[in-house]
Amino acid sequence: MANMSLEKVKMPEQAPDIRNKNFKEVATGYTAEMAIEEAGRCLNCKHKPCVNGCPVNVRIPEFIAEVAKGDFLAAYKVITTTNALPAVCGRVCPQESQCESKCVRGIKGEPVAIGRLERFVADWYMENGKDEIEKPVSNGKKVAIVGSGPSGLACAGDLAKLGYDVSIFEAFHTAGGVLVYGIPEFRLPKTIVQKEIDKLSAMGVKVMTNMVIGKVLSIDELIDDMGFEAVFIGSGAGLPSFMGIEGEALVGVYSANEYLTRINLMKAYIENYDTPIKHSKAVAVVGGGNVAMDAARCAKRLGADVYIVYRRSEEEMPARLEEIHHAKEEGIQFKLLTNPVKILNDGTGKVAGIECLEMELGEPDASGRRRPVAKEGSNFVIDVDTVVMSIGTSPNPLIRSTTKGLETNRKGCLVVNEETMQTTREGIYAGGDAVTGAATVILAMGAGKKAAESIDNYLKNK
Amino acid sequence: MFKIVTKRKLNDAVTLMEIEAPFIAKKAKAGQFIIFRIDDKGERVPLTIADYDREKGTVTIIFQKVGLSTKMLAEMNEGDYISDFVGPLGVPTDYEDFKKVAVIGGGVGNAIAYPQAKALHEMGVEVDVIAGFRNKDIVILEDEMRAASTNYYITTDDGSYGEKGFVTDKLKSLIEAGNNYDAVIAIGPIPMMKFVSLTTKPYGIKTIVSLNPIMVDGTGMCGGCRVTVGGEIKFACVDGPDFDGHLVDFDELMNRNSIYREREAETTETHMCRMEKLGKELIK
């Protein structure tokens, strides 16, 4: 008999006024008992709608059935047939708009906590599993992966399983892409990312850091000089946008990428690490996405009063509900329907405040969201000494400008055949944010997996 | 890990190192830079490529001890390894079809001006080098620069060596004496680059400056190094570091570079223990 509770088993969490002063993980994860209880809520439907909601089609009811039995190792094996990074996905996927949005139990009550269960199984394996990773037999064919973010890691993992000799080229000194520089420790501990990458290394994947493709080597050199027979570009969308308003060059204005890179990758919040970060009194984070929530919650942990400044209403915020909820609990103040027009100078070149206009919502725009319209003369100032711009990113032009024959759209995203993920050049594939513009971790992983399948087909028939 | 192959002290504050980095050595061009990180706790610091040896697979950097990381690097020795060394970053200098160029180096900026002079000289361009220093004690690369130039002029602020005065005085007198430069390339402290640009502007001489804003990644993903050029935001790490000196907002750059100044002084103080530890490990 299934557990018919309408609600998910609650996730244990650090209390808000404690966690907003440390960088330790907010949600501490299910115990085995909680996982088994929650797994009991799954009805094991025949038509499995949840699986279709997952971009990498994790065999959800099957793994949950194993959890319900208490066989966590078996559950882990089911998950990892299609998902190479379950500890990451269980934590950062927007399940509410993916697998869990399709769950039958969600029609009346809360859906099954698929993400929490996936996370539990992955964490259990990290602690209790034995490394049974076998190095697949090599087929002697070399594939290069550009970028070690979620799409590159997923692509590398699938190709390595098939016996390809895979090398990942990463520009930073640490692999992981947005998983290490973007998403903060309190949402995704970096040791977990490193363990997932170590598993790839154990399968024979070579990770080459400090390699900026487009500078130190071009894609053509990878193919012509270094013997790679196919290339996957997973270089993401890391180029930050600014608003173009007065005062953006003042001391104290950061892009969210810079702010988060200093904190997450360079560990500027830990004493004894050399990279500095401004310890602000009050911070305005401009934007309403997950990145804005991450930046705001980091600023709070560094001791600042923090405002989210967003030009639409909460309903239109692209951030995950859970992140908005967590941010509010931690004391982040939301200035909604508010649009910055100018950053004020204190007279010495530092930020003295941010001047904003009140907005109201008008007609829906092309994206279906109601367009914010400024209220004339409603200018007001929020007192801050730091502004973090989190209004979006676009793909870095480095690769497209150094590789002939790669077509891009007007936003600078690589054009691919959506079935095969092949770019406009034979043997070169792409996926993730480099193709879609800034999206989610799991969509990038799905694209990486799809490309791996195509690369395998291409090289088998070559 | 990247091996320090050669270390040479150029003066009390300035050190030259050759680093084994074959991939970078193969691709490097004048005007480009690298980013280094000493160890796991280290910060990422940009330095211009001063020279390279494609056969030996080495890249030469010349740096002044200013902050914690450059001080720590200066403590390291031949045979030691640093954790990260990435490049070549930035756009190489565009020499167009120059026939006669003045290359101006200010202080340790001469290390960055040197590969420019050398590259132009090898291309057969007439190169006048004006090397400026505060005083005689900090003169660097005199022989190398002489070898890479048609005419070499040296100035010191206090007159203790070469001609007394600033590089801008010398530049002005050379221009007034009828030297028709197709371009002036100026590399050094921000005020020096600013005043060279102001000097050349009335004459309409193309002036290229190499900017040195604070950087983190050096690949265009954070915008920490943004500068205003001709009223537009540019990222020095990918659009530069070379820019038209007549269009750069130097005052803004100077202001932005001051952001961590207090913090830097404090970290250098509190992090001395880490330097000592590193020093001891190296002695072992």
Side-chain angles (χ1 to χ4, degrees), chain A residues 38-55:
Chain A
E38 178 63 26
R41 295 183 62 229
C42 176
L43 301 175
N44 205 356
C45 322
K46 270 215 180 75
H47 64 303
K48 308 177 183 24
C50 52
V51 177
N52 295 325
C54 171

Side-chain angles (χ1 to χ4, degrees), chain A residues 31-304:
Chain A
T31 60
E33 293 71 29
M34 290 172 186
I36 292 169
E37 189 190 338
E38 178 63 26
R41 295 183 62 229
C42 176
L43 301 175
N44 205 356
C45 322
K46 270 215 180 75
H47 64 303
K48 308 177 183 24
C50 52
V51 177
N52 295 325
C54 171
V56 299
N57 303 120
V58 167
R59 291 148 59 196
I60 294 165
E62 272 176 74
F63 99 75
I64 293 183
E66 299 295 349
V67 175
K69 279 191 262 170
D71 190 346
F72 306 136
L73 180 64
Y76 181 79
K77 286 184 174 162
V78 172
I79 294 173
T80 50
T81 54
T82 64
N83 186 352
L85 309 169
V88 174
C89 295
R91 285 174 165 82
V92 304
C93 273
Q95 289 99 6
E96 68 273 18
S97 58
Q98 296 181 332
C99 55
E100 293 181 19
S101 75
K102 303 278 167 72
C103 176
V104 171
R105 292 296 305 266
I107 298 167
K108 194 180 164 201
E110 290 187 331
V112 174
I114 300 165
R116 293 174 186 177
L117 289 173
E118 181 181 39
R119 169 188 162 153
F120 166 78
V121 170
D123 288 359
W124 177 90
Y125 184 82
M126 276 190 190
E127 209 150 285
N128 303 291
K130 288 196 187 68
D131 269 328
E132 297 161 1
I133 295 162
E134 278 174 43
K135 216 168 155 174
V137 182
S138 168
N139 65 16
K141 290 176 195 269
K142 286 170 70 177
V143 180
I145 311 268
V146 179
S148 65
S151 74
L153 293 177
C155 189
D158 280 15
L159 287 170
K161 272 187 207 162
L162 295 167
Y164 289 93
D165 178 357
V166 180
S167 298
I168 301 181
F169 294 89
E170 165 57 43
F172 261 133
H173 54 264
T174 307
V178 75
L179 306 177
V180 295
Y181 78 73
I183 303 174
E185 183 79 16
F186 55 80
R187 281 216 290 141
L188 178 64
K190 302 306 151 224
T191 48
I192 284 172
V193 180
Q194 192 52 52
K195 278 184 190 164
E196 300 281 32
I197 292 168
D198 290 345
K199 271 194 273 172
L200 290 181
S201 303
M203 279 199 290
V205 174
K206 293 186 233 6
V207 181
M208 327 260 276
T209 53
N210 294 315
M211 296 293 267
V212 183
I213 299 303
K215 285 288 177 193
V216 71
L217 287 169
S218 68
I219 298 233
D220 289 293
E221 285 170 317
L222 290 175
I223 297 168
D224 299 337
D225 304 345
M226 297 188 71
F228 288 99
E229 293 185 59
V231 177
F232 173 76
I233 303 170
S235 50
L239 189 77
S241 306
F242 287 90
M243 290 186 78
I245 58 173
E246 193 184 327
E248 274 182 312
L250 293 171
V251 163
V253 182
Y254 289 94
S255 73
N257 265 10
E258 180 183 359
Y259 197 68
L260 290 171
T261 299
R262 285 179 180 273
I263 291 171
N264 299 322
L265 181 71
M266 307 310 296
K267 310 244 180 291
Y269 64 95
I270 305 176
E271 216 187 323
N272 248 339
Y273 278 74
D274 300 341
T275 302
I277 184 99
K278 188 170 190 288
H279 288 256
S280 317
K281 287 193 186 72
V283 179
V285 177
V286 180
N290 286 318
V291 175
M293 297 306 136
D294 285 345
R297 296 170 72 195
C298 282
K300 185 79 193 173
R301 283 160 172 78
L302 290 170

Side-chain angles (χ1 to χ4, degrees), chain A residues 221 248 254-255 257 274, chain B residues 27 219 221-222 226 260 274:
Chain A
E221 285 170 317
E248 274 182 312
Y254 289 94
S255 73
N257 265 10
D274 300 341
Chain B
K27 277 294 173 70
T219 61
M221 62 81 75
C222 86
R226 63 193 186 277
Y260 300 113
R274 197 153 104 65

Side-chain angles (χ1 to χ4, degrees), chain B residues 97-139:
Chain B
D97 46 359
F98 300 149
K99 294 191 177 57
K100 186 174 168 106
V101 173
V103 174
I104 305 178
V108 75
N110 278 281
I112 310 166
Y114 168 62
Q116 304 278 11
K118 190 175 146 193
L120 286 161
H121 193 65
E122 281 169 2
M123 287 161 65
V125 176
E126 197 179 328
V127 182
D128 284 358
V129 168
I130 308 171
F133 300 93
R134 260 197 332 276
N135 59 53
K136 184 175 190 284
D137 301 336
I138 62 163
V139 171

